[in-house]
Amino acid sequence: MDQEKQTQLLSVRNLKKYFPLKVSWLKAFSKERSYVRAVDDLSFEIKYGETLGLVGESGSGKTTVGRTLIRLESPTDGHILFEDVDLAKISGESLRVKRQHFQMIFQDPMASLNPYMRVGNAIGHPLKIHHIGNKSERKMHVYEILNKVGLPPEEFYNRFPRHLSGGQRQRVVIARAVITSPKFVVADEVTAMLDVSIRSQILKLLIEMKNELGLTYLFITHDLASAKYICDRIAVMYLGKIVEIAKTYDIFKEPLHPYTKILMASVPVPDPKMKTKKFIPTGEIPSPINIPSGCRFHPRCPYATKTCSKIEPELKDVNGRLVACHLYDQNGKN
Ligand code: SF4
């Protein structure tokens, strides 16, 4: 195993997730089926201890990527190498055993907690599922993790979710996600439903948990300020494809892909005197059922040429980062 491979926790190859559309009985016997191509041939890696941000507009396929990586969805095609085990190819007991090593934190903490389950039981539930420890050991572990997430156990162990604030509920969800000491956590829009004042506390908690427990995150968000704060690298998604991957500093300093430039231009600048160059996309985001030919961003791209509507650009190395755009083909601009 080469050194590069040893540093990768997750290696995703040609991952696809298509959802078949329901058809009327008149078309039921037709061989042609329509699909929502939510994730369309993605390849990327996540290193041990890294936080990879996945950003893009709603409907770009970010959540489906997260759900597919931890097998809440079965991939249509491709490979998800998790420490050399292909998660895309396992099922049943093998998958259940592996699940201990990956968890997901969902956007809505209220919806992801059982309203009739007390906080202590909810957090300890994954330990029970994975047969970790006996009853008293599990309770001790829950006490420890409650302390770690800033919820004094004497006060919170027996509470119900309805007796908690939004921020406290998200702390409980984080505690439940990390109690099995997973290696990989998908955090899906974890601060989206929280007040601005609470957001930074939850981001800080995620960083603390990562450092203390050695976690690796896929951080899914449309909030670029949060991504900038927490992520080591950022992957930008558009209509089921990754169009750029780069280190966080580089992507904010100098975005290369036209779509990334548009996203970055939408981040508020604290200094009102500072001039930023605005790139405004034209038209609506196309439907993932009828994906445009060639570069799928071409109907909205201010730089599109004839080549762009015919040939789909591949994700290629451009000065140490990966970009899918014909502007950076070897021959320069089209
Ligand atoms: Fe724009 Fe063409 Fe680049 Fe696509 S390939 S982003 S249409 S310039």
Side-chain angles (χ1 to χ4, degrees):
M1 196 191 289
D2 58 36
Q3 208 181 354
E4 170 100 0
K5 221 172 166 189
Q6 281 178 356
T7 63
Q8 290 164 9
L9 173 66
L10 205 75
S11 177
V12 178
R13 290 281 158 259
N14 307 108
L15 186 69
K16 293 180 183 169
K17 179 62 191 174
Y18 295 174
F19 296 99
L21 285 180
K22 282 189 182 159
V23 289
S24 69
W25 70 270
L26 277 172
K27 291 185 182 170
F29 299 104
S30 160
K31 283 186 181 164
E32 277 190 27
R33 294 292 302 270
S34 294
Y35 293 89
V36 174
R37 287 152 65 183
V39 177
D40 204 4
D41 206 0
L42 298 197
S43 296
F44 60 94
E45 285 86 33
I46 306 181
K47 297 187 191 98
Y48 281 96
E50 184 180 39
T51 299
L52 177 71
L54 195 56
V55 306
E57 289 167 281
S58 301
S60 57
K62 307 185 297 294
T63 293
T64 309
V65 173
R67 292 178 62 85
T68 310
L69 289 188
I70 61 166
R71 287 296 309 272
L72 292 179
E73 301 283 354
S74 294
T76 306
D77 201 1
H79 303 278
I80 307 161
L81 292 172
F82 182 83
E83 295 185 320
D84 285 346
V85 173
D86 192 348
L87 298 181
K89 307 293 177 219
I90 60 172
S91 57
E93 183 61 11
S94 321
L95 182 58
R96 194 195 69 77
V97 171
K98 271 282 163 199
R99 278 195 195 285
Q100 183 183 334
H101 301 301
F102 40 84
Q103 295 288 338
M104 187 154 181
I105 305 168
F106 297 93
Q107 176 176 353
D108 183 354
M110 192 61 188
S112 57
L113 289 170
N114 181 339
Y116 304 108
M117 203 181 245
R118 291 179 195 274
V119 163
N121 293 338
I123 295 174
H125 196 57
L127 295 175
K128 208 171 168 185
I129 290 177
H130 293 290
H131 312 298
I132 300 170
N134 58 34
K135 203 174 171 187
S136 64
E137 285 167 341
R138 287 200 291 265
K139 187 165 182 179
M140 232 164 67
H141 203 149
V142 172
Y143 264 59
E144 277 170 30
I145 211 87
L146 272 168
N147 272 322
K148 277 195 171 79
V149 299
L151 300 174
E154 305 74 23
E155 196 183 329
F156 287 92
Y157 191 95
N158 283 316
R159 285 204 195 173
F160 287 104
R162 64 179 177 276
H163 298 136
L164 305 175
S165 68
Q168 288 167 343
R169 272 184 221 126
Q170 199 57 298
R171 283 172 190 269
V172 170
V173 172
I174 291 171
R176 187 181 59 179
V178 301
I179 198 160
T180 57
S181 301
K183 293 179 178 171
F184 178 55
V185 176
V186 174
D188 186 9
E189 301 280 12
V190 289
T191 56
M193 300 190 78
L194 303 175
D195 289 347
V196 181
S197 56
I198 309 292
R199 277 183 204 175
S200 62
Q201 293 175 20
I202 295 297
L203 291 177
K204 275 184 193 152
L205 177 64
L206 286 173
I207 294 171
E208 276 167 32
M209 291 292 107
K210 176 185 152 172
N211 294 338
E212 203 165 319
L213 304 172
L215 306 175
T216 300
Y217 289 135
L218 178 71
F219 186 78
I220 298 170
T221 188
H222 64 271
D223 175 11
L224 293 171
S226 296
K228 189 177 182 182
Y229 184 73
I230 198 173
C231 299
D232 301 302
R233 285 190 306 146
I234 290 180
V236 179
M237 265 193 96
Y238 183 76
L239 218 52
K241 281 269 187 196
I242 289 179
V243 296
E244 183 164 359
I245 307 181
K247 288 183 181 158
T248 304
Y249 176 81
D250 294 339
I251 214 162
F252 276 89
K253 186 166 179 263
E254 192 191 5
L256 294 185
H257 193 282
Y259 178 62
T260 316
K261 290 182 187 198
I262 289 164
L263 283 186
M264 295 300 157
S266 68
V267 180
V269 181
D271 182 356
K273 289 182 197 148
M274 198 171 145
K275 286 189 181 161
T276 53
K277 201 172 177 184
K278 296 274 179 195
F279 296 83
I280 309 296
T282 52
E284 296 284 312
I285 186 166
S287 156
I289 304 164
N290 294 309
I291 288 181
S293 61
C295 171
R296 48 195 70 193
F297 188 54
H298 86 261
R300 306 173 77 197
C301 179
Y303 305 106
T305 65
K306 280 184 187 165
T307 310
C308 299
S309 60
K310 290 181 192 141
I311 301 172
E312 180 152 44
E314 287 173 22
L315 208 54
K316 285 189 214 143
D317 189 304
V318 180
N319 301 330
R321 64 172 89 176
L322 295 172
V323 186
C325 173
H326 291 309
L327 288 176
Y328 304 97
D329 284 349
Q330 264 184 345
N331 299 332
K333 293 193 177 195
N334 291 299

